[in-house]
Amino acid sequence: AEGAGLHDEL
Amino acid sequence: MNIFRLLGDMCHLVAIIILFLKIWRSKSCAGISGKSQVLFALVFTTRYLDLFTSFISVYNTVMKVVFLVLAYATVYLIYLRFRSTYNSESDSFRVEFLLVPVAGLSFLENYAFAPLEILWTFSIYLESVAILPQLFMITKTGEAESITTHYLFFLGLYRALYLANWVWRYHTEGFFDQIAVVSGVVQTIFYCDFFYLYFTKVLRGSGKMTLP
């Protein structure tokens, strides 16, 4: 899973 | 960025603009749930706090600012400028029944126990249920103006396109955001019943959508 950090979606 | 994501974002933008222009031009927010719009403003506010902490792209920043401005402008039109046209008695969904569980869940199930991360998680969970006061209002009054249904259609289409975006990203980048995907699936399911009514009633007939 991608987790915390950059959320690149709107 | 892929075509599903871009189309999804555009549908989201179109939905928000449709709603804003409908209220602005008719000088009325009849049939619109102010509570749903406040929830969406809260969703954007809590999610886009990263505007201050991280830069992703010009596109990302511009869209976030546009969504925030339009969300607050819509809330302004409903609760201040055209307040006399707001059907507060039909907008009777108890939002605390959404906010309390969503806030609780965002503390329990998140990627990191950090303020910005919990607020991001809160916004994801809240977005999945933010439309419920609007759907509840339509169910309660038994009808919706066609322009309101077009708004809901584009909002639902945006969600469906984001699902396609996640399938695409999973296969091309190995990207899988569990919190967003699970919430996104839940959110899209809420629109299924509406989609059915939209295709069978609004597009075949004309004017208002009336519930059976």
Side-chain angles (χ1 to χ4, degrees):
Chain A
E2 285 286 310
L6 221 53
H7 299 294
D8 66 342
E9 294 181 340
L10 291 169
Chain B
M1 179 63 75
N2 58 67
I3 189 68
F4 304 112
R5 163 78 200 283
L6 184 63
L7 282 175
D9 288 346
M10 289 307 117
C11 284
H12 197 182
L13 186 61
V14 165
I16 293 170
I17 291 174
I18 284 176
L19 183 68
F20 181 83
L21 286 182
K22 169 204 151 60
I23 299 172
W24 181 257
R25 287 191 182 154
S26 66
K27 302 191 192 319
S28 166
C29 58
I32 301 301
S33 167
K35 289 181 177 175
S36 275
Q37 295 310 311
V38 168
L39 292 182
F40 281 125
L42 189 58
V43 164
F44 291 139
T45 307
T46 51
R47 187 175 309 168
Y48 297 160
L49 288 170
D50 65 354
L51 275 171
F52 299 104
T53 61
S54 51
F55 175 78
I56 293 162
S57 66
V58 173
Y59 170 83
N60 193 281
T61 301
V62 170
M63 290 294 278
K64 283 174 174 172
V65 172
V66 169
F67 283 169
L68 277 167
V69 169
L70 282 172
Y72 278 96
T74 303
V75 168
Y76 162 76
L77 291 187
I78 296 172
Y79 285 98
L80 294 166
R81 193 157 175 144
F82 303 127
R83 188 184 182 92
S84 59
T85 64
Y86 170 52
N87 310 130
S88 56
E89 66 290 339
S90 307
D91 195 12
S92 51
F93 193 95
R94 299 280 295 271
V95 287
E96 58 270 35
F97 292 153
L98 297 179
L99 287 170
V100 172
V102 159
L105 193 60
S106 59
F107 274 93
L108 290 173
E109 197 61 44
N110 52 52
Y111 292 133
F113 203 77
L116 273 186
E117 198 55 35
I118 290 170
L119 285 169
W120 177 85
T121 311
F122 171 81
S123 84
I124 295 288
Y125 294 150
L126 184 60
E127 187 188 351
S128 68
V129 293
I131 200 60
L132 291 181
Q134 180 66 63
L135 295 176
F136 178 76
M137 194 173 180
I138 291 174
T139 307
K140 194 177 177 188
T141 60
E143 60 179 34
E145 280 183 55
S146 61
I147 190 85
T148 308
T149 67
H150 300 325
Y151 161 70
L152 286 168
F153 172 75
F154 278 101
L155 213 52
L157 191 56
Y158 140 64
R159 292 318 309 179
L161 284 162
Y162 254 69
L163 295 187
N165 157 59
W166 289 322
V167 172
W168 179 266
R169 290 191 72 174
Y170 181 74
H171 286 290
T172 55
E173 312 166 30
F175 173 89
F176 181 65
D177 186 331
Q178 190 182 322
I179 288 177
V181 170
V182 172
S183 307
V185 170
V186 169
Q187 189 174 353
T188 310
I189 290 170
F190 288 137
Y191 287 89
C192 288
D193 182 46
F194 165 78
F195 276 141
Y196 174 75
L197 288 169
Y198 184 77
F199 285 115
T200 55
K201 299 228 168 192
V202 180
L203 294 186
R204 279 192 202 164
S206 59
K208 288 185 171 183
M209 178 175 87
T210 47
L211 298 183

